[in-house]
Amino acid sequence: MTNKTLFEPYALGPITLSNRVVMAPLTRNRAGEGLVPSELAAEYYGQRASAGLIITEATQVSRQAQGYQDTPGLYTPEQIAGWQKVTDAVHARGGRIFVQLWHVGRVSHIDLLGGDAPVAPSAIRAATKTFVSNGFADVSEPRALAFEELPGIINDFRQAAANAIKAGFDGVEVHGANGYLLEQFAKDGANVRTDAYGGSVENRARLMLEVTAAVAEEIGAERTGIRISPVSPANGISASDPQAQYDFIVDKLDTLGIAYIHVVEGATGGPRDVAPFDYSSLRRRFSKTYIANNGYDLELATSQLADGKADLFAFGKPFIANPDLVARLQGGAPLNQIDPATIYGGGAAGYTDYPTLAEASGN
Ligand code: 8OZ
């Protein structure tokens, strides 16, 4: 066995990463007017450019795709210009950055959608909350998408991917995880459709695969990745057959030739062993890069790398509180602790003011 380390360069297809530590997508609810990423966002991501790869916070492909207050989009000229400042800041510091594109589906509220109902595979309301202008609220009753509407949603992802390249991103991650639209189609707890997008494992996978194929066709499979969370109960989702479903999905993703699968192992932000699942089956089925996420620390990442279980490791909350997380992990330095009160929404406090090690020691 070769003695790989987390801190050596890694070739993600044509893109060279300076190390194997990935900044996971993290929702921060700080977009400005028009859901444009702010100047502070450019500073925040620029501060974290020593990650091997940054994956941005989830970003809407359309107005209908929004489910929370002040999350950014990538479907207007102003949003493209705002993201250009972010990618410039990261590239100026030698980093690499993909944008995570999402559609929240049923995890939304009429107040965010101009009074329209959220859309979903089936009219089944999720037992979950979202965050609107006056705080947390139960999600609204969704309506089932008509078959005829699905090409438009696929096209929204395709167009946002094209916009991502215009804005200077190195690639796109399709958000296929955490109980949002593409996972709502994939999991039978949210999808009781009787058309070509519901019923069998194959039918339930269809939208996720068609969206991914469209993005890959638009910007290149080598710049396309996807995040999945086979057994996560996030946002009130459930599945009766996750192993069969995700074995099938990953076989097809491999055929598409995309750059990576990014796998949330276990319950998003929670226990890794929430339900039995054989992640090595996904690893075997996918010939390119496997990014592992959820509850990793230096020790677990190091041992999983040595065992060949994953190629890259995505860290979420530690990156919020530690802009120089890579240097801290490499040097065995202590980590800043996250302030839970400033994760979602607000300004610079808890966003761009976490100190690097050098700053903390007064240098
Ligand atoms: C936390 C709060 C709001 C959204 C996800 C995009 O879970 C999210 C998210 C996380 O993927």
Side-chain angles (χ1 to χ4, degrees):
M1 173 130 300
T2 53
N3 207 358
K4 296 175 190 160
T5 92
L6 287 172
F7 307 105
E8 286 165 7
Y10 178 81
L12 181 65
I15 304 162
T16 303
L17 313 183
S18 58
N19 57 70
R20 293 173 186 260
V21 178
V22 174
M23 178 178 170
L26 292 156
T27 289
R28 305 302 308 274
N29 307 81
R30 284 166 165 86
E33 181 78 28
L35 305 180
V36 173
S38 67
E39 302 274 346
L40 267 184
E43 185 180 340
Y44 162 77
Y45 284 113
Q47 288 171 339
R48 288 156 179 77
S50 61
L53 176 65
I54 293 172
I55 302 164
T56 70
E57 66 208 270
T59 298
Q60 290 95 243
V61 298
S62 65
R63 183 162 182 268
Q64 184 197 65
Q66 187 181 358
Y68 302 83
Q69 188 72 24
D70 300 330
T71 51
L74 190 40
Y75 54 88
T76 70
E78 295 77 18
Q79 292 163 352
I80 296 172
W83 281 116
Q84 180 77 62
K85 292 181 189 168
V86 172
T87 63
D88 284 347
V90 171
H91 290 149
R93 296 174 71 162
R96 302 281 185 218
I97 182 165
F98 276 39
V99 62
Q100 191 191 51
L101 293 182
W102 72 342
H103 188 309
V104 299
R106 67 180 184 168
V107 183
S108 190
H109 193 279
I110 53 170
D111 285 1
L112 297 164
L113 302 173
D116 292 344
V119 298
S122 303
I124 304 170
R125 192 174 185 162
T128 191
K129 289 188 187 294
T130 182
F131 191 80
V132 294
S133 60
N134 54 354
F136 284 97
D138 288 338
V139 298
S140 303
E141 187 72 33
R143 70 170 177 88
L145 282 159
F147 183 85
E148 294 72 28
E149 290 178 276
L150 301 179
I153 288 181
I154 296 165
N155 201 53
D156 288 340
F157 274 91
R158 178 194 290 275
Q159 183 60 52
N163 293 346
I165 298 304
K166 269 190 222 144
F169 283 105
D170 296 293
V172 164
E173 176 173 290
V174 173
H175 195 340
N178 296 344
Y180 299 111
L181 184 70
L182 302 181
E183 198 182 85
Q184 288 159 29
F185 272 83
K187 293 188 173 176
D188 55 1
N191 181 353
V192 296
R193 297 177 75 94
T194 54
D195 62 8
Y197 291 86
S200 64
V201 157
E202 183 177 359
N203 282 358
R204 280 184 274 123
R206 195 177 307 281
L207 188 65
M208 189 184 288
L209 295 171
E210 288 182 348
V211 161
T212 308
V215 169
E217 186 184 272
E218 187 68 32
I219 67 167
E222 72 285 359
R223 295 190 180 272
T224 303
I226 187 169
R227 193 176 210 213
I228 54 176
S229 53
V231 297
S232 183
N235 290 305
I237 201 90
S238 64
S240 63
D241 55 356
Q243 192 77 53
Q245 182 69 64
Y246 283 87
D247 281 352
F248 176 84
I249 286 172
V250 171
D251 277 343
K252 295 292 181 192
L253 291 171
D254 194 53
T255 308
L256 292 177
I258 61 168
Y260 70 76
I261 55 171
H262 178 182
V263 185
V264 181
E265 298 166 343
T268 313
R272 292 177 51 77
D273 60 355
V274 65
F277 192 87
D278 179 13
Y279 296 99
S280 72
S281 172
L282 307 188
R283 172 69 161 157
R284 267 197 317 277
R285 285 163 198 275
F286 193 71
S287 48
K288 298 217 176 66
T289 298
Y290 182 108
I291 308 181
N293 171 249
N294 203 31
Y296 278 85
D297 58 13
L298 178 63
E299 192 187 347
L300 185 59
T302 302
S303 77
Q304 299 283 90
L305 179 63
D307 291 346
K309 297 225 164 109
D311 303 298
L312 303 176
F313 298 86
F315 293 76
K317 291 201 177 109
F319 255 117
I320 289 182
N322 297 275
D324 57 344
L325 181 67
V326 174
R328 287 178 190 248
L329 293 177
Q330 188 164 17
L335 302 185
N336 297 324
Q337 292 308 300
I338 189 170
D339 172 11
T342 52
I343 297 177
Y344 305 116
Y351 192 45
T352 51
D353 63 353
Y354 285 107
T356 62
L357 262 185
E359 287 160 354
S361 67
N363 295 318

